[in-house]
Amino acid sequence: MRLRSFAMISVACACAHPHHPRAPNLTENPDVREFAALAWAPDQPTYLWTAHSVRDAQRGIADAIDSFGMLTGATAAGTGQLLEQVLSVDPLSESGVQRLGVDPAGAVAMFSTGLDPTIVVQLASPDTTRAFFDHIKATNGVATRSIIVDGVEVSTVKLFGHVSASWAIDSSSTWPGGPGGPGGPGGPGTEPWLWVHFAFGVDTASQPAAPDGDWFAKAHAPHRGAWTTSFARAKQLRGASSAAANGGLLGFIDTRALLAIARAHVPREAPAQVIACIERFHPVGLAGFAIEGDGHHAGGRLAFDLGPTAAASVASAVLPPPGGFAALASTAPIAVQWNLDLDAIARFLAPCAASIGGDADFLTRFGVRTARVAVLTLEPERRSGTGVVAADLADATYLRGLLDQIPHRSLLESDHSYAGIAGHRISIPFVLSLDYVLTDRLGMLAVGDGLMDKLVAGTTARPPLFALDVVVPGLSEATWNYVIAQATNEWFAKRATSLLQRWHDGHVRVTIDHDALVVEASGNRR
């Protein structure tokens, strides 16, 4: 089957048969009134996300691709073009979904009771959807099988291997209309919905898998809305985001359910460390997430509920940076800090490393427990720059070895004191002057007049586990290209630097907030 048949996965069509409208019994549920597609969500989903509209979902996905795609050189526009080559339509563009008969202002949701996802989206023109995919089926010669479930035709096609896709169009389901929705505020409306379901356990025969409508029967039936408590976690994250509260994606993941699935699929002959590794993550409960953006600002939050014991354990492994680091980092074009003890991480991951025949010693082999870097200025062409580095140490042997490699160091070095802390200064005439402090438990280095004194001054309150802050205009485009090339290669550096110039700043922060591990990411375009 040619790749173009993937078009049938996300928005395939079927001819709906007349039937009695089946209304979910969640008409008064405030979440359903706000996010209409949640009317079809199962009571105990393994994962669930939704948006007010397809347009909001597209913007949230595009922002996420543009933000984190820089790590791979990807863009939302490039991803849309690639998808169009495969699907014959760009699902990330408004014109693309309109070609499919999907309503850009209509509701959308994705959920699952296991791993197999179901996507539900509102249609503006079912006839357009049918015509588009009838053309795709005729062009590619895709064989399908269909059955009637709850008065709706459900079609199934085998894609490849054990993977199949099923779809249905329900043109007369009564749904609770939300604010601004087609049903109107406060009252139900009858709107067409497209349902798409992926299954990953079909037979391997050459013919399409036998049609299975059980997924549709369960999703189409009335529900109690037991997911509302979990969904409240995502709404809390939305309220905390700095982006517009009315857009983007909201959802949650039942991590314990996923871990149970993973454990059930562990082969009996697998090493015992595999189960031990899975059990390490058992304290993680619900994971709620929110992704929001307005075209200029993009932001997202992901929160893992750890419970009081695990959260306290993680918090106790956070080592504070020097008191003045936060102030220096706030003015730096590049600032990175890792404050979670690597020794503790190595102990936590030991069973996971052992399960693949390795160990976690690579995290601790250099004797470094934490690391912070702030680059204040950098001019590679002049071989100049200023900044600071600070690390907590378990063993200073490796760093002392690096110092010993400096030629004639004893002649260039002098003792110095920084806010009462004993250290040293190395002055290389016409090249640079650097200050450093090195003890059995602490290593600090500063390049720039007075920076060491600023680094050790003050106190730090509740540092993050990890933080990354980037201010793009703070360095020249050539300098960014140089920095990225040091970690990758010239081709990738040019691509990533070009994408980076579209942004003014970006921030990632990982913290413990009460009983949750919270990951926040945000950025502003130029």
Side-chain angles (χ1 to χ4, degrees):
M1 179 182 301
R2 290 162 51 185
L3 286 177
R4 280 182 173 271
S5 63
F6 269 97
M8 304 192 64
I9 297 177
S10 55
V11 280
C13 72
C15 299
H17 290 251
H19 68 288
H20 297 292
R22 187 153 193 172
N25 60 346
L26 297 173
T27 334
E28 301 304 320
N29 185 295
D31 292 327
V32 173
R33 293 178 66 81
E34 183 179 0
F35 301 94
L38 291 180
W40 312 109
D43 287 323
Q44 299 293 334
T46 306
Y47 53 83
L48 177 153
W49 67 257
T50 188
H52 286 126
S53 68
V54 173
R55 189 178 291 119
D56 283 343
Q58 288 175 321
R59 184 169 58 230
I61 294 170
D63 283 340
I65 294 174
D66 282 339
S67 300
F68 296 101
M70 286 184 291
L71 300 176
T72 59
T75 65
T79 302
Q81 292 173 0
L82 178 62
L83 290 173
E84 186 167 11
Q85 293 176 6
V86 176
L87 307 176
S88 300
V89 70
D90 176 8
L92 297 181
S93 71
E94 185 159 321
S95 60
V97 296
Q98 286 176 330
R99 285 180 57 199
L100 294 169
V102 172
D103 183 0
V108 59
M110 185 174 81
F111 44 78
S112 173
T113 53
L115 292 179
D116 299 345
T118 297
I119 302 170
V120 183
V121 63
Q122 220 165 346
L123 295 178
S125 174
D127 289 341
T128 300
T129 308
R130 295 185 183 100
F132 180 89
F133 287 102
D134 281 345
H135 174 73
I136 294 296
K137 288 192 292 184
T139 301
N140 292 282
V142 178
T144 62
R145 296 182 180 180
S146 300
I147 58 175
I148 303 301
V149 178
D150 202 13
V152 179
E153 184 179 31
V154 179
S155 300
T156 300
V157 62
K158 178 183 174 182
L159 299 176
F160 53 85
H162 292 266
V163 182
S164 68
S166 301
W167 64 91
I169 292 179
D170 184 359
S171 295
S172 54
S173 282
T174 304
W175 69 287
T190 300
E191 301 296 332
W193 294 85
L194 171 67
W195 307 68
V196 181
H197 177 78
F198 300 95
F200 302 100
V202 300
D203 62 63
T204 56
S206 58
Q207 294 297 320
D212 179 9
D214 186 57
W215 65 271
F216 182 75
K218 290 180 179 178
H220 199 238
H223 303 293
R224 295 180 294 106
W227 44 262
T228 54
T229 301
S230 299
F231 190 66
R233 186 64 171 126
K235 291 192 294 182
Q236 291 172 354
L237 296 177
R238 173 184 62 171
S241 175
S242 60
N246 292 325
L249 304 176
L250 292 176
F252 64 86
I253 303 168
D254 186 342
T255 53
R256 289 201 178 106
L258 289 179
L259 289 173
I261 293 173
R263 182 165 184 167
H265 285 79
V266 173
R268 291 186 177 182
E269 63 274 14
Q273 291 92 338
V274 175
I275 297 297
C277 176
I278 294 174
E279 290 301 315
R280 286 291 201 192
F281 297 91
H282 183 72
V284 182
L286 195 73
F289 62 89
I291 302 174
E292 300 163 341
D294 57 12
H296 172 70
H297 175 88
R301 284 168 60 95
L302 171 64
F304 297 91
D305 289 329
L306 302 182
T309 302
S313 177
V314 174
S316 68
V318 176
L319 304 178
F325 181 82
L328 291 172
S330 67
T331 63
I334 304 175
V336 185
Q337 53 179 313
W338 182 277
N339 298 314
L340 186 61
D341 189 357
L342 289 176
D343 287 351
I345 296 175
R347 291 192 297 271
F348 179 85
L349 293 178
C352 301
S355 69
I356 56 175
D359 57 55
D361 291 349
F362 69 94
L363 292 172
T364 59
R365 68 179 56 175
F366 299 113
V368 176
R369 299 173 67 190
T370 63
R372 304 98 179 178
V373 178
V375 178
L376 300 177
T377 64
L378 184 61
E379 298 179 89
E381 67 280 2
R382 299 176 59 182
R383 296 187 178 183
S384 67
T386 59
V388 298
V389 179
D392 291 285
L393 306 176
D395 185 346
T397 303
Y398 177 76
L399 295 183
R400 287 196 174 101
L402 293 179
L403 282 174
D404 291 340
Q405 295 178 23
I406 299 177
H408 311 294
R409 177 180 138 217
S410 61
L411 301 176
L412 303 172
E413 185 175 280
S414 61
D415 295 338
H416 205 78
S417 178
Y418 310 97
I421 300 177
H424 308 273
R425 175 168 293 167
I426 298 177
S427 297
I428 304 176
F430 309 110
V431 179
L432 62 81
S433 176
L434 61 88
D435 301 305
Y436 78 89
V437 172
L438 183 60
T439 70
D440 291 339
R441 293 292 177 261
L442 178 65
M444 296 186 293
L445 181 145
V447 179
D449 292 340
L451 288 183
M452 182 64 81
D453 291 301
K454 293 180 179 179
L455 177 62
V456 300
T459 58
T460 300
R462 298 195 65 183
L465 282 67
F466 169 82
L468 168 64
D469 298 283
V470 172
V471 180
V472 180
L475 298 176
S476 68
E477 185 171 352
T479 299
W480 281 112
N481 186 80
Y482 171 82
V483 171
I484 298 173
Q486 301 312 299
T488 56
N489 57 61
E490 284 293 338
W491 178 87
F492 181 85
K494 290 180 180 179
R495 171 70 171 167
T497 300
S498 175
L499 297 176
L500 190 63
Q501 298 307 305
R502 304 178 185 182
W503 293 85
H504 179 271
D505 58 81
H507 312 274
V508 178
R509 192 174 182 88
V510 182
T511 59
I512 291 292
D513 185 359
H514 295 91
D515 296 341
L517 176 72
V518 180
V519 182
E520 299 178 80
S522 64
N524 295 285
R525 292 184 174 87
R526 293 196 182 191

